[in-house]
Amino acid sequence: MNTTKGDMKFIEKAMSAIADPCRLSILQEVYLKGELCCGDVQSLTGLSQPTCSHHIKLLAESALIDCNKKGRNQIITLNKENFKRINTFLGKFCEA
């Protein structure tokens, strides 16, 4: 399995972000709805605004989501290309 150092760092950071139940539920909800704003995340999780911001920041730093400003709101969408990278990496474990 030939994986570059950069790819390994990305995979490690992304998998760590996905491993948290709150962040996983945020990702699932973004997938289902297409996009969320930060207020939606707070309603979804029931967590405080600072805690939600922390989870969103970690997901953005792991490059699993993109955050774009729309008016006064931060809109969160999935970075599907990076999910494809994870899928490609994990798919190698299924090869014979």
Side-chain angles (χ1 to χ4, degrees):
M1 181 182 310
N2 291 338
T3 307
T4 67
K5 264 189 174 179
D7 283 341
M8 285 303 292
K9 278 196 171 277
F10 163 73
I11 295 295
E12 289 169 16
K13 197 166 199 172
M15 297 298 276
S16 177
I18 291 170
D20 180 85
C22 286
R23 290 190 289 270
L24 183 57
S25 68
I26 292 167
L27 290 171
Q28 288 175 317
E29 204 62 28
V30 173
Y31 168 75
L32 291 172
K33 295 192 172 153
E35 66 180 33
L36 291 176
C37 71
C38 290
D40 295 334
V41 173
Q42 194 172 353
S43 298
L44 167 72
T45 61
L47 298 171
S48 69
Q49 186 276 324
T51 303
C52 288
S53 292
H54 172 73
H55 286 300
I56 291 167
K57 179 182 175 193
L58 291 175
L59 288 168
E61 287 175 351
S62 68
L64 294 175
I65 62 169
D66 294 316
C67 297
N68 298 301
K69 194 126 174 117
K70 188 188 258 185
R72 297 176 72 192
N73 294 318
Q74 285 280 356
I75 303 299
I76 303 161
T77 56
L78 292 180
N79 184 325
K80 292 182 181 180
E81 288 304 311
N82 281 337
F83 276 95
K84 288 177 187 175
R85 287 173 66 191
I86 294 168
N87 189 44
T88 299
F89 174 79
L90 293 176
K92 292 177 183 178
F93 290 94
C94 298
E95 297 171 359

Coordinates of all heavy atoms in Angstrom, one line a residue:
M1 N 0.8 -1.2 0.0 CA 0.0 0.0 0.0 C 0.9 1.2 0.0 O 1.6 1.5 1.0 CB -0.9 0.0 1.2 CG -1.8 1.1 1.3 SD -2.9 1.2 2.8 CE -3.6 -0.5 2.9
N2 N 0.9 2.0 -1.1 CA 1.7 3.2 -1.2 C 0.9 4.4 -0.9 O 0.0 4.8 -1.6 CB 2.3 3.3 -2.6 CG 3.3 2.3 -2.9 OD1 3.9 1.7 -2.0 ND2 3.5 2.0 -4.2
T3 N 1.2 5.0 0.3 CA 0.5 6.2 0.7 C 1.5 7.2 1.2 O 2.4 6.9 1.9 CB -0.5 5.8 1.9 OG1 -1.3 4.7 1.6 CG2 -1.3 7.0 2.3
T4 N 1.3 8.4 0.6 CA 2.3 9.5 1.0 C 2.2 9.9 2.4 O 1.1 9.7 3.0 CB 2.1 10.7 0.0 OG1 0.9 11.3 0.3 CG2 2.2 10.3 -1.4
K5 N 3.2 10.6 2.9 CA 3.1 11.1 4.3 C 2.0 12.1 4.4 O 1.3 12.1 5.4 CB 4.4 11.8 4.6 CG 5.4 11.0 5.3 CD 6.6 11.8 5.8 CE 7.5 11.0 6.7 NZ 8.6 11.8 7.2
G6 N 1.8 12.9 3.4 CA 0.7 13.9 3.4 C -0.7 13.2 3.5 O -1.6 13.7 4.2
D7 N -0.8 12.2 2.7 CA -2.1 11.4 2.7 C -2.3 10.8 4.1 O -3.4 10.8 4.6 CB -2.1 10.3 1.6 CG -2.4 10.9 0.3 OD1 -2.9 12.0 0.2 OD2 -2.1 10.2 -0.7
M8 N -1.3 10.2 4.7 CA -1.4 9.6 6.0 C -1.8 10.6 7.1 O -2.6 10.3 7.9 CB -0.1 8.9 6.4 CG 0.2 7.6 5.6 SD -1.2 6.4 5.8 CE -1.0 6.0 7.5
K9 N -1.2 11.8 7.0 CA -1.5 12.8 8.0 C -3.0 13.2 7.8 O -3.7 13.4 8.8 CB -0.7 14.1 7.8 CG 0.7 14.0 8.5 CD 1.3 15.4 8.6 CE 2.5 15.4 9.4 NZ 2.3 15.5 10.8
F10 N -3.5 13.4 6.6 CA -4.9 13.7 6.3 C -5.8 12.6 6.9 O -6.7 12.8 7.6 CB -5.1 13.9 4.8 CG -6.6 13.8 4.5 CD1 -7.5 14.8 4.9 CD2 -7.1 12.7 3.9 CE1 -8.8 14.7 4.6 CE2 -8.5 12.6 3.6 CZ -9.3 13.6 4.0
I11 N -5.4 11.3 6.6 CA -6.3 10.2 7.0 C -6.3 10.1 8.5 O -7.4 9.9 9.1 CB -5.7 8.8 6.4 CG1 -5.9 8.8 4.9 CG2 -6.4 7.7 7.1 CD1 -7.3 8.8 4.4
E12 N -5.2 10.3 9.2 CA -5.1 10.2 10.7 C -6.0 11.3 11.3 O -6.8 11.1 12.2 CB -3.7 10.4 11.1 CG -2.8 9.2 10.9 CD -1.3 9.6 11.1 OE1 -1.0 10.6 11.8 OE2 -0.5 8.8 10.7
K13 N -5.9 12.5 10.7 CA -6.7 13.7 11.3 C -8.2 13.5 11.0 O -9.0 13.7 11.9 CB -6.2 15.0 10.7 CG -6.6 16.2 11.4 CD -5.8 17.4 11.0 CE -5.9 18.5 12.0 NZ -5.1 19.6 11.8
A14 N -8.5 13.0 9.8 CA -9.9 12.8 9.4 C -10.6 11.7 10.3 O -11.7 11.8 10.8 CB -10.0 12.5 7.9
M15 N -9.8 10.6 10.4 CA -10.4 9.5 11.2 C -10.6 9.8 12.6 O -11.5 9.4 13.3 CB -9.5 8.2 11.0 CG -9.4 7.7 9.6 SD -10.9 7.2 8.9 CE -11.0 5.6 9.6
S16 N -9.7 10.6 13.2 CA -9.8 11.1 14.5 C -11.0 12.0 14.7 O -11.8 11.9 15.7 CB -8.6 11.9 14.9 OG -8.7 12.4 16.2
A17 N -11.3 12.8 13.7 CA -12.5 13.7 13.7 C -13.8 12.9 13.7 O -14.7 13.1 14.4 CB -12.4 14.7 12.6
I18 N -13.8 11.9 12.8 CA -15.0 11.1 12.6 C -15.2 10.2 13.8 O -16.4 9.9 14.1 CB -14.8 10.2 11.4 CG1 -14.8 11.0 10.1 CG2 -15.9 9.1 11.3 CD1 -14.4 10.2 8.8
A19 N -14.2 9.9 14.6 CA -14.4 9.0 15.7 C -15.2 9.5 16.9 O -15.8 8.8 17.7 CB -13.0 8.5 16.3
D20 N -15.4 10.8 16.9 CA -16.2 11.5 18.0 C -17.7 11.4 17.7 O -18.1 11.7 16.6 CB -15.8 12.9 18.2 CG -16.6 13.6 19.2 OD1 -16.1 13.5 20.4 OD2 -17.6 14.2 18.9
P21 N -18.5 10.9 18.6 CA -19.9 10.7 18.3 C -20.6 12.0 17.9 O -21.5 12.0 17.0 CB -20.5 10.2 19.6 CG -19.4 9.6 20.4 CD -18.1 10.4 19.9
C22 N -20.3 13.1 18.6 CA -20.9 14.4 18.2 C -20.6 14.8 16.8 O -21.5 15.2 16.0 CB -20.5 15.5 19.2 SG -21.3 15.3 20.8
R23 N -19.3 14.7 16.5 CA -18.9 15.1 15.1 C -19.5 14.2 14.1 O -19.8 14.6 13.0 CB -17.4 15.2 15.1 CG -16.8 16.4 15.9 CD -15.4 16.6 15.6 NE -14.5 15.6 16.2 CZ -14.0 15.7 17.4 NH1 -14.3 16.6 18.3 NH2 -13.2 14.7 17.8
L24 N -19.5 12.9 14.4 CA -20.1 11.9 13.4 C -21.6 12.3 13.2 O -22.1 12.2 12.1 CB -20.0 10.5 14.0 CG -20.5 9.4 13.0 CD1 -19.8 9.5 11.7 CD2 -20.3 8.0 13.7
S25 N -22.3 12.6 14.2 CA -23.7 13.0 14.0 C -23.9 14.3 13.2 O -24.8 14.4 12.4 CB -24.5 13.1 15.4 OG -24.0 14.2 16.1
I26 N -22.9 15.2 13.4 CA -23.0 16.4 12.6 C -22.7 16.1 11.2 O -23.5 16.6 10.3 CB -21.9 17.4 13.1 CG1 -22.2 18.0 14.5 CG2 -21.7 18.6 12.1 CD1 -21.1 18.7 15.2
L27 N -21.8 15.2 10.9 CA -21.5 14.8 9.5 C -22.7 14.1 8.9 O -23.0 14.4 7.7 CB -20.3 13.9 9.4 CG -18.9 14.6 9.7 CD1 -17.8 13.5 9.9 CD2 -18.6 15.6 8.7
Q28 N -23.3 13.3 9.6 CA -24.5 12.6 9.1 C -25.6 13.5 8.8 O -26.3 13.4 7.7 CB -25.0 11.5 10.1 CG -24.1 10.3 10.2 CD -24.5 9.3 11.3 OE1 -24.9 9.7 12.4 NE2 -24.4 8.0 10.9
E29 N -25.8 14.5 9.6 CA -26.9 15.5 9.4 C -26.6 16.4 8.2 O -27.5 16.7 7.4 CB -27.1 16.3 10.7 CG -28.5 16.9 10.8 CD -29.6 15.9 10.8 OE1 -29.4 14.8 11.3 OE2 -30.7 16.3 10.4
V30 N -25.3 16.8 8.1 CA -24.9 17.6 6.9 C -25.2 16.7 5.6 O -25.7 17.2 4.6 CB -23.5 18.0 7.0 CG1 -23.0 18.7 5.7 CG2 -23.3 19.0 8.1
Y31 N -24.8 15.5 5.7 CA -25.1 14.6 4.5 C -26.5 14.5 4.2 O -26.9 14.7 3.0 CB -24.5 13.2 4.8 CG -25.0 12.1 3.8 CD1 -24.4 12.1 2.6 CD2 -26.0 11.3 4.1 CE1 -24.9 11.2 1.6 CE2 -26.5 10.3 3.2 CZ -25.9 10.3 2.0 OH -26.3 9.4 1.0
L32 N -27.4 14.4 5.2 CA -28.8 14.2 4.9 C -29.5 15.5 4.4 O -30.3 15.5 3.6 CB -29.5 13.8 6.2 CG -29.3 12.4 6.7 CD1 -29.9 12.1 8.1 CD2 -29.8 11.3 5.7
K33 N -29.0 16.6 5.0 CA -29.6 17.9 4.6 C -28.9 18.7 3.5 O -29.4 19.7 3.0 CB -29.8 18.8 5.8 CG -30.7 18.2 6.9 CD -31.1 19.1 7.9 CE -32.2 18.4 8.7 NZ -32.3 18.8 10.1
G34 N -27.7 18.3 3.2 CA -26.9 19.0 2.2 C -26.1 20.1 2.7 O -25.0 20.3 2.3
E35 N -26.6 20.8 3.7 CA -25.9 21.9 4.4 C -26.6 22.2 5.7 O -27.7 21.9 5.9 CB -25.8 23.2 3.5 CG -27.1 23.8 3.2 CD -27.0 25.1 2.4 OE1 -26.1 25.1 1.5 OE2 -27.8 26.0 2.6
L36 N -25.8 22.8 6.6 CA -26.3 23.2 7.9 C -25.6 24.5 8.2 O -24.5 24.8 7.8 CB -25.9 22.2 9.0 CG -26.5 20.9 9.1 CD1 -25.9 20.1 10.2 CD2 -28.0 21.0 9.3
C37 N -26.3 25.3 9.1 CA -25.7 26.5 9.6 C -25.3 26.2 11.1 O -25.8 25.2 11.6 CB -26.5 27.7 9.5 SG -28.0 27.8 10.6
C38 N -24.5 27.0 11.7 CA -24.0 26.7 13.1 C -25.2 26.5 14.0 O -25.1 25.7 14.9 CB -23.0 27.7 13.5 SG -21.5 27.7 12.6
G39 N -26.2 27.4 13.9 CA -27.4 27.3 14.7 C -28.1 25.9 14.6 O -28.6 25.4 15.6
D40 N -28.1 25.4 13.4 CA -28.7 24.0 13.2 C -27.9 23.0 14.0 O -28.5 22.1 14.6 CB -28.7 23.6 11.8 CG -29.5 24.5 10.9 OD1 -30.5 25.1 11.4 OD2 -29.3 24.6 9.7
V41 N -26.6 23.1 14.0 CA -25.7 22.2 14.8 C -26.0 22.2 16.2 O -26.1 21.2 16.9 CB -24.2 22.4 14.5 CG1 -23.4 21.6 15.4 CG2 -23.9 22.2 13.0
Q42 N -26.2 23.4 16.8 CA -26.5 23.6 18.2 C -27.9 22.9 18.5 O -28.0 22.2 19.5 CB -26.6 25.1 18.5 CG -26.5 25.3 20.0 CD -26.3 26.8 20.3 OE1 -26.1 27.6 19.4 NE2 -26.4 27.2 21.6
S43 N -28.9 23.1 17.7 CA -30.2 22.5 17.9 C -30.1 21.0 17.8 O -30.7 20.3 18.5 CB -31.2 23.0 16.8 OG -31.4 24.4 16.9
L44 N -29.3 20.5 16.8 CA -29.2 19.1 16.6 C -28.5 18.4 17.8 O -29.0 17.3 18.2 CB -28.3 18.8 15.3 CG -27.8 17.4 15.1 CD1 -28.9 16.5 14.6 CD2 -26.7 17.5 14.0
T45 N -27.5 19.0 18.3 CA -26.7 18.3 19.4 C -27.1 18.7 20.8 O -26.9 17.9 21.7 CB -25.2 18.7 19.2 OG1 -25.0 20.1 19.4 CG2 -24.6 18.3 17.9
G46 N -27.7 19.8 20.9 CA -28.1 20.3 22.3 C -26.9 20.8 23.1 O -27.0 21.1 24.3
L47 N -25.8 21.0 22.4 CA -24.6 21.4 23.0 C -24.5 23.0 23.0 O -25.2 23.6 22.3 CB -23.3 20.9 22.3 CG -23.2 19.4 22.3 CD1 -22.0 18.9 21.4 CD2 -23.0 18.8 23.7
S48 N -23.7 23.5 23.9 CA -23.5 25.0 23.9 C -22.9 25.5 22.6 O -22.3 24.7 21.9 CB -22.7 25.4 25.1 OG -21.3 25.0 24.9
Q49 N -23.1 26.7 22.3 CA -22.5 27.3 21.1 C -21.0 27.2 21.0 O -20.5 26.8 20.0 CB -23.0 28.8 21.0 CG -22.6 29.5 19.7 CD -21.2 30.0 19.7 OE1 -20.7 30.5 20.7 NE2 -20.5 29.9 18.6
P50 N -20.3 27.5 22.1 CA -18.8 27.3 22.1 C -18.4 25.9 21.8 O -17.5 25.6 21.0 CB -18.3 27.8 23.4 CG -19.4 28.7 24.0 CD -20.7 28.1 23.4
T51 N -19.1 24.9 22.3 CA -18.8 23.5 22.1 C -19.1 23.1 20.7 O -18.3 22.4 20.0 CB -19.6 22.6 23.1 OG1 -19.3 23.0 24.4 CG2 -19.2 21.1 22.9
C52 N -20.2 23.6 20.1 CA -20.5 23.4 18.7 C -19.4 24.0 17.8 O -19.0 23.4 16.9 CB -21.9 23.9 18.3 SG -23.3 23.0 19.0
S53 N -19.0 25.2 18.1 CA -18.0 25.9 17.3 C -16.7 25.0 17.4 O -16.0 24.9 16.3 CB -17.7 27.3 17.9 OG -18.8 28.1 17.6
H54 N -16.4 24.5 18.5 CA -15.2 23.7 18.6 C -15.3 22.4 17.7 O -14.3 22.1 17.0 CB -15.0 23.2 20.1 CG -13.9 22.2 20.3 ND1 -12.6 22.6 20.2 CD2 -13.9 20.9 20.6 CE1 -11.8 21.5 20.4 NE2 -12.6 20.5 20.6
H55 N -16.4 21.7 17.7 CA -16.6 20.6 16.9 C -16.5 20.9 15.4 O -15.9 20.3 14.6 CB -17.9 19.8 17.2 CG -17.9 19.1 18.5 ND1 -17.0 18.0 18.7 CD2 -18.6 19.2 19.6 CE1 -17.2 17.5 19.9 NE2 -18.2 18.2 20.5
I56 N -17.2 22.0 15.0 CA -17.1 22.5 13.7 C -15.7 22.9 13.2 O -15.3 22.5 12.1 CB -18.1 23.7 13.5 CG1 -19.5 23.2 13.6 CG2 -17.9 24.4 12.1 CD1 -20.6 24.3 13.8
K57 N -15.0 23.5 14.1 CA -13.6 23.9 13.8 C -12.8 22.6 13.6 O -12.0 22.6 12.6 CB -13.0 24.7 15.0 CG -11.6 25.1 14.8 CD -11.0 25.8 16.0 CE -9.6 26.1 15.8 NZ -8.9 26.6 17.0
L58 N -12.9 21.6 14.4 CA -12.1 20.4 14.2 C -12.5 19.7 12.9 O -11.6 19.2 12.2 CB -12.3 19.4 15.4 CG -11.7 19.9 16.7 CD1 -12.1 18.9 17.9 CD2 -10.2 20.0 16.6
L59 N -13.8 19.7 12.6 CA -14.2 19.1 11.3 C -13.6 19.9 10.1 O -13.2 19.3 9.1 CB -15.7 19.0 11.2 CG -16.4 17.9 12.1 CD1 -17.9 18.1 12.1 CD2 -16.0 16.5 11.6
A60 N -13.6 21.2 10.2 CA -13.1 22.0 9.2 C -11.5 21.8 9.1 O -11.0 21.7 7.9 CB -13.4 23.5 9.4
E61 N -10.8 21.8 10.2 CA -9.4 21.6 10.2 C -9.0 20.2 9.6 O -7.9 20.0 9.1 CB -8.8 21.7 11.6 CG -8.8 23.2 12.1 CD -8.3 23.3 13.5 OE1 -8.2 22.3 14.2 OE2 -8.1 24.5 13.9
S62 N -9.9 19.2 9.8 CA -9.6 17.9 9.2 C -10.0 17.8 7.8 O -9.8 16.8 7.1 CB -10.4 16.8 10.0 OG -11.8 17.0 9.8
A63 N -10.5 18.9 7.2 CA -10.9 19.0 5.8 C -12.1 18.1 5.4 O -12.2 17.8 4.3 CB -9.7 18.8 4.9
L64 N -12.9 17.8 6.4 CA -14.1 17.0 6.1 C -15.3 17.8 5.7 O -16.2 17.4 5.1 CB -14.4 16.1 7.2 CG -13.4 15.0 7.5 CD1 -13.8 14.2 8.8 CD2 -13.2 14.0 6.4
I65 N -15.3 19.1 6.2 CA -16.4 20.0 5.9 C -15.8 21.3 5.3 O -14.6 21.6 5.6 CB -17.3 20.3 7.1 CG1 -16.5 21.0 8.2 CG2 -18.0 19.1 7.5 CD1 -17.4 21.6 9.3
D66 N -16.6 22.0 4.6 CA -16.2 23.4 4.2 C -17.2 24.3 4.9 O -18.4 24.0 5.0 CB -16.4 23.5 2.6 CG -15.4 22.6 1.9 OD1 -14.2 22.6 2.3 OD2 -15.8 22.0 0.9
C67 N -16.7 25.4 5.3 CA -17.5 26.5 6.0 C -17.4 27.7 5.1 O -16.4 28.2 4.8 CB -17.0 26.8 7.4 SG -17.1 25.4 8.5
N68 N -18.6 28.2 4.7 CA -18.7 29.4 3.9 C -19.7 30.4 4.5 O -20.7 30.0 5.0 CB -19.1 29.1 2.5 CG -18.1 28.2 1.8 OD1 -17.0 28.5 1.6 ND2 -18.6 27.0 1.4
K69 N -19.3 31.6 4.5 CA -20.1 32.7 5.1 C -21.2 33.0 4.1 O -21.0 33.2 2.9 CB -19.3 33.9 5.4 CG -20.0 34.9 6.3 CD -19.0 35.2 7.5 CE -19.6 36.3 8.3 NZ -20.0 35.9 9.6
K70 N -22.5 33.0 4.6 CA -23.6 33.4 3.8 C -24.4 34.4 4.7 O -25.1 34.0 5.6 CB -24.5 32.2 3.5 CG -25.6 32.5 2.5 CD -26.5 31.3 2.3 CE -26.2 30.6 1.0 NZ -27.2 29.5 0.8
G71 N -24.3 35.7 4.4 CA -24.9 36.7 5.3 C -24.2 36.6 6.7 O -23.0 36.7 6.8
R72 N -25.0 36.4 7.7 CA -24.5 36.4 9.1 C -24.2 35.0 9.5 O -23.7 34.7 10.6 CB -25.5 37.0 10.0 CG -25.7 38.5 9.7 CD -26.8 39.0 10.6 NE -26.2 39.1 12.0 CZ -26.9 39.4 13.0 NH1 -28.2 39.5 12.9 NH2 -26.4 39.5 14.2
N73 N -24.5 34.0 8.6 CA -24.3 32.6 9.0 C -23.1 31.9 8.4 O -22.8 32.3 7.2 CB -25.6 31.8 8.6 CG -26.8 32.2 9.4 OD1 -26.8 32.4 10.6 ND2 -27.9 32.3 8.7
Q74 N -22.6 31.0 9.1 CA -21.6 30.1 8.5 C -22.3 28.8 8.0 O -23.0 28.2 8.8 CB -20.6 29.6 9.6 CG -19.6 30.6 9.9 CD -18.4 30.8 8.9 OE1 -18.3 30.0 8.0 NE2 -17.6 31.7 9.2
I75 N -22.2 28.5 6.7 CA -22.9 27.4 6.1 C -21.9 26.2 6.0 O -20.8 26.4 5.5 CB -23.5 27.7 4.7 CG1 -24.4 28.9 4.9 CG2 -24.1 26.5 4.1 CD1 -25.6 28.6 5.8
I76 N -22.3 25.1 6.5 CA -21.4 23.9 6.5 C -21.8 22.9 5.4 O -23.0 22.6 5.4 CB -21.5 23.2 7.9 CG1 -21.1 24.2 9.0 CG2 -20.6 22.0 7.9 CD1 -21.6 23.7 10.4
T77 N -20.9 22.5 4.6 CA -21.2 21.4 3.6 C -20.1 20.4 3.7 O -19.0 20.7 4.2 CB -21.2 22.0 2.2 OG1 -20.0 22.7 1.9 CG2 -22.4 23.0 2.0
L78 N -20.4 19.2 3.2 CA -19.3 18.1 3.2 C -18.3 18.4 2.1 O -18.6 18.9 1.0 CB -20.0 16.8 2.9 CG -20.9 16.2 4.0 CD1 -21.4 14.9 3.5 CD2 -20.2 16.0 5.3
N79 N -17.1 18.1 2.4 CA -16.0 18.1 1.4 C -16.0 16.7 0.8 O -15.3 15.8 1.3 CB -14.7 18.5 2.0 CG -13.6 18.6 1.0 OD1 -13.6 17.9 0.0 ND2 -12.7 19.6 1.2
K80 N -16.8 16.5 -0.2 CA -16.9 15.1 -0.8 C -15.7 14.6 -1.4 O -15.4 13.4 -1.3 CB -18.1 15.1 -1.8 CG -19.4 15.4 -1.1 CD -20.5 15.3 -2.1 CE -21.9 15.6 -1.4 NZ -23.0 15.5 -2.3
E81 N -14.8 15.4 -1.9 CA -13.5 14.9 -2.5 C -12.7 14.3 -1.4 O -12.0 13.3 -1.6 CB -12.8 16.1 -3.2 CG -13.4 16.5 -4.5 CD -13.6 15.4 -5.5 OE1 -12.6 14.6 -5.7 OE2 -14.7 15.2 -6.0
N82 N -12.7 14.9 -0.2 CA -11.9 14.3 0.9 C -12.5 13.0 1.4 O -11.8 12.1 1.9 CB -11.6 15.3 2.0 CG -10.5 16.2 1.6 OD1 -9.7 15.9 0.7 ND2 -10.5 17.4 2.1
F83 N -13.8 12.9 1.4 CA -14.4 11.6 1.7 C -14.1 10.5 0.7 O -13.9 9.4 1.1 CB -16.0 11.7 1.9 CG -16.3 12.2 3.3 CD1 -16.6 13.6 3.5 CD2 -16.5 11.4 4.3 CE1 -16.9 14.1 4.7 CE2 -16.8 11.8 5.6 CZ -17.0 13.2 5.8
K84 N -13.9 10.9 -0.5 CA -13.5 10.0 -1.6 C -12.1 9.5 -1.3 O -11.8 8.3 -1.5 CB -13.6 10.6 -3.0 CG -15.0 10.8 -3.5 CD -15.0 11.5 -4.8 CE -16.5 11.8 -5.2 NZ -16.5 12.6 -6.5
R85 N -11.2 10.4 -0.8 CA -9.9 10.0 -0.5 C -9.9 9.0 0.7 O -9.1 8.0 0.6 CB -9.1 11.3 0.0 CG -8.7 12.2 -1.1 CD -8.0 13.5 -0.6 NE -6.7 13.2 0.0 CZ -6.1 14.1 0.8 NH1 -6.6 15.3 0.9 NH2 -4.9 13.9 1.3
I86 N -10.7 9.2 1.7 CA -10.8 8.3 2.8 C -11.3 6.9 2.2 O -10.8 5.9 2.6 CB -11.7 8.8 3.9 CG1 -11.1 10.0 4.5 CG2 -12.0 7.7 4.9 CD1 -12.1 10.8 5.4
N87 N -12.3 7.0 1.4 CA -12.9 5.7 0.8 C -11.8 5.0 0.0 O -11.7 3.7 0.1 CB -14.1 6.1 0.0 CG -14.9 4.9 -0.5 OD1 -15.1 4.0 0.3 ND2 -15.2 4.9 -1.8
T88 N -11.1 5.7 -0.8 CA -10.0 5.0 -1.6 C -9.0 4.4 -0.6 O -8.6 3.2 -0.9 CB -9.3 6.1 -2.5 OG1 -10.3 6.6 -3.4 CG2 -8.2 5.4 -3.3
F89 N -8.6 5.1 0.4 CA -7.6 4.5 1.4 C -8.2 3.3 2.0 O -7.5 2.2 2.1 CB -7.2 5.6 2.4 CG -6.4 5.1 3.5 CD1 -5.0 4.9 3.3 CD2 -6.9 4.7 4.7 CE1 -4.2 4.4 4.3 CE2 -6.0 4.2 5.7 CZ -4.7 4.1 5.5
L90 N -9.4 3.4 2.6 CA -9.9 2.2 3.3 C -10.3 1.1 2.3 O -10.2 -0.1 2.7 CB -11.2 2.6 4.0 CG -11.0 3.6 5.2 CD1 -12.3 4.0 5.8 CD2 -10.1 3.0 6.3
G91 N -10.6 1.4 1.1 CA -10.9 0.3 0.1 C -9.7 -0.6 -0.2 O -9.8 -1.7 -0.5
K92 N -8.5 0.0 0.0 CA -7.3 -0.8 -0.2 C -7.2 -2.0 0.8 O -6.6 -3.1 0.5 CB -6.0 0.0 0.0 CG -5.9 1.1 -1.1 CD -4.7 2.0 -0.8 CE -4.6 3.1 -1.8 NZ -3.4 3.9 -1.6
F93 N -7.9 -1.9 1.9 CA -7.8 -3.0 2.9 C -8.7 -4.2 2.5 O -8.6 -5.3 3.0 CB -8.3 -2.5 4.3 CG -7.2 -1.6 4.9 CD1 -7.3 -0.2 4.8 CD2 -6.2 -2.2 5.6 CE1 -6.4 0.6 5.4 CE2 -5.2 -1.4 6.2 CZ -5.3 0.0 6.1
C94 N -9.6 -3.9 1.5 CA -10.5 -5.0 1.0 C -9.9 -5.7 -0.2 O -10.4 -6.7 -0.6 CB -11.8 -4.4 0.6 SG -12.7 -3.6 1.9
E95 N -8.8 -5.2 -0.8 CA -8.2 -5.8 -2.0 C -7.5 -7.1 -1.6 O -6.9 -7.1 -0.5 CB -7.3 -4.8 -2.6 CG -8.0 -3.6 -3.2 CD -7.1 -2.5 -3.7 OE1 -5.8 -2.7 -3.6 OE2 -7.6 -1.5 -4.1
A96 N -7.5 -8.0 -2.5 CA -6.8 -9.3 -2.2 C -5.4 -9.2 -2.6 O -4.9 -8.5 -3.4 CB -7.6 -10.4 -2.9

